[in-house]
Structure formats: structure tokens, C-alpha cells
Amino acid sequence: MSATPPTGPKAAAPAIVLVEPQLGENIGTAARAMANFGLADLRLVNPREGWPNDKARAAASGADHVIEGARVFVSLPEAIGELGFVYAMTARAREAARIVAGPREAAAKARRLLAGGTGVGILVGRERIGLTNDEVSLADQILTLPVDPAFSSLNVAQAVLIVAYEWRLSGVSAEADGLPFDGGLALPAAKADLIRLFEHLETALDEAAFFRPPEKRPHMVKALRAMLQRAGLTDQEVRTLRGAVAALGHRPTRPHRLADGTLTTKRGGGE
């Protein structure tokens, strides 16, 4: 089965080329990894179990756009024919002299090439034996990962996941900029509110005779304020702490209504 070589504008992201993948599940999990990080151009060279493949679709876990857009080629030269720069992923040193890049360097170079209109592909070999020397010879550079040399074998999807992650990261100025959401942290409390917390706490501690001996009070106050400053308290956290200080000092609360309808400023059940 052969696919028509792609035409039209150059892709905005690298193509992932799986060379003779053996299992549909591995194609599916590779497609899922691609979708996680914004890659969609999946090219298959002679998949052993044929195409389309139900196992691949199931393993893709919803990355249907990658599976549906996957193209099958009868040869590697056909799959990469219109690309201008190709990386060959391998964990083994090769006889021929070749520039070797890590995933971060490769992602940055791929982004520059694509921005200039050059199509980029990343070759990933068979599950058992990877890419042959002849297949590597068709690539411009070798792409390898900083794995432990004592155990360098990676699953196809794992390899694709790492390069896809680095591709995604190369497009943002900082890792946090690429995150899908943040922690929703509130802004720090205003200094005026923080100062009122200091004064409230220090007054309560004076009443409890906490500062002993008295001559150490200035030093202890500075230490307490430094701890609270480092905490980066939000407005709500300042209010909560002030309520806690008031409760420990048995001060009255804001008026609240009891079950029988009466108002009280006492804590607890109004007893």
C-alpha cells in the first residue's frame, strides 16, 4: 500500500516516520505520544500487521486525528522524499561518521528549519533491531537520547514521547509557559494587610507573655515577621491567620446567628 507524497505548504512540525513497525499497539501509543505534544504527521513504512489497524486505534486512546491522518509507504525513500532534513533515531554508534544530536538540540534545529520552510522528519526503527545502516545513511544526522549505556533500549512510543516533548518545549521561552494550566494561586496579600497581621499577632503574643525575656522581643518580632514574609501569604490566608489569632485569644467573633435565631459574638455554640 502506498501513499501519495504530501503536497502544499510545508508542515509546521516534524513528521514521525516509523520504519516497519511490528505491532499495532506500538503505532497507537506512538500516535498518542505525538498528540500529547502537538505532532500529527505520522508516516508508516510497511507496518507488519497492515493498515488500518484496530489495535493501533485502541492504543491511541483518543488520538484519532493522528491515526486517521497516518500515511503508509512501501519504502523509506518514498516516505521522506519531500523532506529537506531527516534525523535517524538510534542508540547504537554507527560506522559512518555522522553528526550526533540530543533531543533538545534536535528539536531546536528542527524548529529553525521548519520556520524557514524545510520539512523535517524523524526516523524511528523496528522494535527489535531499530534502523539498518542503509536506512541511517538516508538521514542527515543521528538523534540519540542520553540513556544509561548499560540499558539503552527504548520502546517505540517512549522514544517518540521524548522527542515530541522536546519539540513542544522548544517552542516556549520557559517550561511553565507550555503547561496547560497553572496552580491558580492567588496574588500575595497587600503589605498593609500583612502589617496588620503582624501587629495583631504581636499584640496577642504580648498578652500571652510570649516574649520572654522582654529585651529579646525586638529580635523575636523580626524573626516572626521574616517567617510570615517568606510564606508569601495570600489575602485569604492573612484573613484565616487573623481569625486563628483571634480565636486563640478568645476574642469575640463577628456577629452570627444561632439556631434559635438570636445573634451572638461568642465562639462555638454561643455558650
Side-chain angles (χ1 to χ4, degrees):
M1 181 176 179
S2 175
T4 302
T7 59
K10 296 292 185 183
I16 299 296
V17 184
L18 302 186
V19 180
E20 297 185 356
Q22 298 168 269
L23 301 174
E25 293 90 340
N26 287 339
I27 298 173
T29 50
R32 180 180 183 180
M34 290 172 63
N36 285 150
F37 297 104
L39 299 181
D41 188 353
L42 175 60
R43 306 182 186 191
L44 308 174
V45 178
N46 290 326
R48 188 180 70 179
E49 295 184 347
W51 196 259
N53 185 288
D54 290 339
K55 292 179 180 178
R57 181 176 293 277
S61 298
D64 293 338
H65 65 290
V66 179
I67 293 295
E68 290 168 3
R71 288 169 288 178
V72 178
F73 298 86
V74 296
S75 69
L76 179 55
E78 183 183 359
I80 62 175
E82 98 293 356
L83 300 176
F85 194 92
V86 173
Y87 285 105
M89 287 199 72
T90 179
R92 302 195 308 272
R94 302 291 174 149
E95 294 179 1
R98 188 79 56 159
I99 294 175
V100 178
R104 191 157 299 178
E105 177 188 351
K109 184 178 181 69
R111 196 167 287 278
R112 292 194 299 271
L113 289 168
L114 286 158
T118 297
V120 176
I122 300 171
L123 310 184
V124 182
R126 304 155 189 81
E127 291 89 332
R128 290 187 59 199
I129 62 172
L131 297 169
T132 66
N133 287 331
D134 286 343
E135 289 161 349
V136 172
S137 73
L138 298 178
D140 297 275
Q141 290 185 14
I142 285 176
L143 170 55
T144 194
L145 306 178
V147 294
D148 186 339
F151 192 75
S152 60
S153 176
L154 282 177
N155 174 276
V156 168
Q158 290 174 321
V160 171
L161 181 71
I162 292 171
V163 296
Y165 169 77
E166 290 295 346
W167 160 256
R168 184 77 169 184
L169 197 61
S170 71
V172 295
S173 58
E175 187 173 26
D177 296 336
L179 300 180
F181 61 89
D182 58 31
L185 297 178
L187 295 174
K191 289 300 181 187
D193 292 329
L194 197 58
I195 290 169
R196 282 192 283 270
L197 170 62
F198 295 161
E199 294 170 345
H200 187 177
L201 176 60
E202 290 153 18
T203 297
L205 291 174
D206 279 329
E207 292 173 355
F210 173 78
F211 298 112
R212 296 192 304 269
E215 59 269 20
K216 288 190 176 181
R217 185 184 190 281
H219 175 74
M220 297 172 74
V221 164
K222 288 179 183 177
L224 286 169
R225 291 189 176 194
M227 284 190 286
L228 292 170
Q229 289 273 25
R230 286 196 301 271
L233 300 172
T234 65
D235 181 62
Q236 178 58 55
E237 288 168 340
V238 166
R239 290 198 299 270
T240 299
L241 282 174
R242 292 200 64 182
V245 172
L248 290 172
H250 303 290
R251 294 187 179 184
T253 67
R254 295 178 182 178
H256 57 282
R257 194 173 299 277
L258 299 177
D260 61 6
T262 59
L263 290 175
T264 182
T265 58
K266 294 182 179 179
R267 296 187 177 274
E271 299 299 328

